[in-house]
């Protein structure tokens, strides 16, 4: 297993763990972030399924595609977190919803690209 493959496996595993945490702690996390419980639960399910899709396709999709998807997702995650923080700081009540909503939409898109549109893996990398 090369470094990129290990990174893709770790990313998928982390998202599964995060999804489980969101589901197990939906009520307290929803209170903390000011989001509806249903949004926490949906985010948990999407991350759980999306992480599983990432793991399932690790051996058959291009690591170049995985790397681009992970960089794009993580960059957007940081920007969504900053936007949520700014909204919360300025007194808006949507900061947590922005951040959680991003995770639902972006992880769903990530998984869809892997399932329907990703190039097949050619060789070891």
């Amino acid at each position: 297993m090369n470094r990129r493959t290990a990174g893709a496996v770790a990313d998928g595993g982390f998202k599964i763990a995060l999804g489980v945490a969101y589901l197990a702690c939906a009520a307290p996390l929803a209170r903390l972030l000011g989001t509806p419980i249903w949004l926490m639960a949906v985010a948990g399910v999407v991350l759980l399924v999306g992480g599983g899709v990432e793991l399932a396709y690790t051996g058959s999709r291009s690591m170049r595609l995985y790397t681009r998807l992970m960089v794009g997702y993580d960059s957007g995650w940081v920007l969504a977190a900053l936007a949520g923080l700014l909204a919360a700081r300025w007194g808006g009540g949507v900061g947590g919803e922005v951040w959680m909503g991003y995770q639902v939409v972006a992880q769903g898109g990530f998984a869809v690209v892997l399932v329907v549109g990703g190039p097949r893996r050619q060789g070891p990398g």
Side-chain angles (χ1 to χ4, degrees):
M1 181 181 295
N2 66 33
R3 202 179 307 180
R4 282 186 179 182
T5 303
V9 168
D11 189 68
F14 178 77
K15 287 176 182 170
I16 289 172
L18 192 58
V20 168
Y22 284 175
L23 288 169
C25 302
L29 285 173
R31 278 192 303 277
L32 180 67
L33 295 172
T35 64
I37 293 173
W38 68 263
L39 182 56
M40 293 302 303
V42 169
V45 169
V46 170
L47 284 168
L48 189 61
V49 171
V53 167
E54 286 185 52
L55 292 177
Y57 282 86
T58 300
S60 64
R61 293 293 186 238
S62 158
M63 283 298 108
R64 183 177 208 177
L65 172 68
Y66 263 89
T67 302
R68 287 181 178 172
L69 287 171
M70 288 186 294
V71 167
Y73 177 89
D74 292 343
S75 298
W77 194 84
V78 169
L79 293 174
L82 289 173
L85 181 64
L86 288 174
R89 184 179 176 132
W90 290 335
V94 298
E97 292 172 356
V98 167
W99 188 52
M100 296 311 297
Y102 170 79
Q103 292 178 66
V104 170
V105 172
Q107 183 58 44
F110 191 129
V112 166
V113 169
L114 289 177
V115 171
V116 301
R120 297 278 176 207
R121 187 175 210 173
Q122 311 243 337

